[in-house]
Amino acid sequence: MNYSGNPSFVGSDEVRARFSQAMSAMYRQEVPQYGTLVDLVADINRDALNADPVLHARLERAGELDRLDVERHGAIRVGTAAELETLRRLFAVMGMEPVGYYDLSVAGVPVHSTAFRPVGDAALLVNPFRVFTSLLRLELITDPALRQKAADILARRNIFTPRALELIAQCEAAGGLSAADADAFVQEALETFRWHSTATVDAQTYRALQSSHRLVADVVCFRGPHINHLTPRTLDIDAAQAAMPARGMDAKDVVEGPPRRNCPILLRQTSFKALQETVRFTDDEGAHTARFGEIEQRGVALTRKGRALYDALLNEVRDMRSAGSAADDYSQRLEQAFRAFPDDHGALQAQGLAFYRYSLTAIGQVQAGAGDADISLELLLAQGWVHADPITYEDFLPVSAAGIFQSNLGGEEQKQYQANAAQQAFEAALGARVHDEIALYEAAQQRSIAQLRAALRGALTAEVA
């Protein structure tokens, strides 16, 4: 779509696709193992689709096959409210909006976050690029002098190029960008996410900030936030986890998120551990550990009822006590607890635990207009008139995100912060409210039901997408 109906403007979906491709190319050059990761995921996805014709048919029907190979999410961390607000405006040029609020301080990481992503059904199918964006919480640095020093360092930097700021303002004023300006925007915006091996502080300052938390040093000590990972989507994360060592990647010990299931739910993530990179400080040379490669497997989005069950089971896992190594013990506890979560799409749908997109089957299309348009979904499904396709979870899990961050910051320390969610303060810094992600899934499900009812009344003659 065009921003304001002007045919000379490039649609936001196209700008997002161009930026995602350019970011992937840049990161592949900066972190060669990312290219190995992408190739590994492509091989596993091909094998998974060949081995499961039902999965292949479902993804094809839902329009997700085309997006699978280009799907990525990235993650960045910024230090000030002004940086966060400008990022919101930058991502808006690409049709990406802030979705969800995540308090990672409860898991020992001094940030709170949102995910910028497209929110419409059609936009997600074109390119579901997401950027998990975290704002450093300076108030969690306990040393007042160090906290002030970090604030002073951040106040002196500008992470956006002047031309990028001009193009953002131009897009906001005109309602879009021409093809040439869109290309220029992509190149200028990339500079914000580019790696810089030269720090803006001396080695002593770096070490002092690192002693507060390694993530603090990562956010404060560089010219920009540098994308710290890009994540392709796999259809079998356990196969990816097992295959990483053979491709020369040092995989983290456990897969974050729910256990392996017949019907995947929410999000599972793993990564190869961050590489130590040479950094030049203002007075010395040293090393920094931050950038890594991540893989994700996405399942069905859960309703509020389903999410409550998920959270309760996760809390149960934490309360369990078993013998054995940490990784094996955790996996066993997880599998045991989640036996209480239905692992069949029919049960998930019938119990109202997950969201689905409903559409007419071939039989249903023949019968459209010939029956009662208000017949229950349950009966329609039983008669074979309707497909119920899982709505893909497009968002993140705070505990899983924190687990990935902690395993890739280097060092063994585990910081503890008192739970202190601050969504109102985060939204004030952002300059906007964040979307309620569950409300977005509920709206998508309701749209599909409305389209289905219209089709059954004979208002539509083609299968509802």
Side-chain angles (χ1 to χ4, degrees), residues 24-222:
S24 187
M26 181 184 78
Y27 199 67
R28 186 186 286 258
Q29 184 175 29
E30 291 182 349
V31 183
Q33 274 197 326
Y34 164 71
T36 304
L37 193 73
V38 170
D39 293 341
L40 169 63
V41 168
D43 291 343
I44 288 173
N45 287 350
R46 183 189 61 247
D47 293 344
L49 291 170
N50 289 339
D52 191 344
V54 174
L55 174 64
H56 188 285
R58 178 171 63 76
L59 291 176
E60 186 173 37
R61 184 169 61 246
E64 292 199 20
L65 276 183
D66 290 339
R67 81 178 217 180
L68 189 60
D69 288 342
V70 300
E71 186 163 349
R72 300 285 186 274
H73 96 245
I76 56 170
R77 307 149 183 162
V78 296
T80 70
E83 290 175 352
L84 181 66
E85 183 180 26
T86 304
L87 274 177
R88 174 182 59 79
R89 296 171 57 216
L90 180 147
F91 286 128
V93 176
M94 297 182 260
M96 299 163 69
E97 302 178 29
V99 180
Y101 172 76
Y102 305 89
D103 174 23
L104 273 63
S105 70
V106 298
V109 181
V111 300
H112 47 182
S113 316
T114 192
F116 288 96
R117 67 167 177 87
V119 298
D121 295 341
L124 284 165
L125 288 178
V126 170
N127 188 298
F129 183 56
R130 320 165 186 86
V131 179
F132 189 81
T133 303
S134 300
L135 174 64
L136 180 63
R137 300 183 68 176
L138 288 174
E139 74 273 14
L140 296 179
I141 300 176
T142 55
D143 181 340
L146 188 62
R147 182 168 62 245
Q148 186 59 53
K149 188 167 191 175
D152 292 342
I153 294 169
L154 290 169
R156 292 195 294 267
R157 77 178 185 182
N158 186 350
I159 66 174
F160 306 98
T161 70
R163 182 60 176 149
L165 295 174
E166 289 175 5
L167 289 166
I168 292 169
Q170 178 181 322
C171 182
E172 291 171 340
L177 295 174
S178 67
D181 285 339
D183 285 338
F185 168 81
V186 167
Q187 294 307 311
E188 295 293 330
L190 274 182
E191 294 305 309
T192 296
F193 303 90
R194 191 179 299 279
W195 168 251
H196 299 287
S197 59
T198 301
T200 60
V201 302
D202 58 53
Q204 182 178 358
T205 299
Y206 174 85
R207 288 192 293 270
L209 291 167
Q210 189 181 53
S211 69
S212 173
H213 194 289
R214 287 176 178 264
L215 186 140
V216 174
D218 182 61
V219 173
V220 174
C221 297
F222 297 89

Side-chain angles (χ1 to χ4, degrees), residues 318-329:
R318 297 192 189 111
D319 292 340
M320 290 179 183
R321 295 292 183 267
S322 302
S325 70
D328 289 343
D329 179 47

Side-chain angles (χ1 to χ4, degrees), residues 280-297:
R280 177 160 293 282
F281 301 107
T282 58
D283 63 342
D284 198 3
E285 188 173 274
H288 181 66
T289 303
R291 299 191 300 165
F292 55 96
E294 185 180 83
I295 303 172
E296 65 185 14
Q297 180 174 1

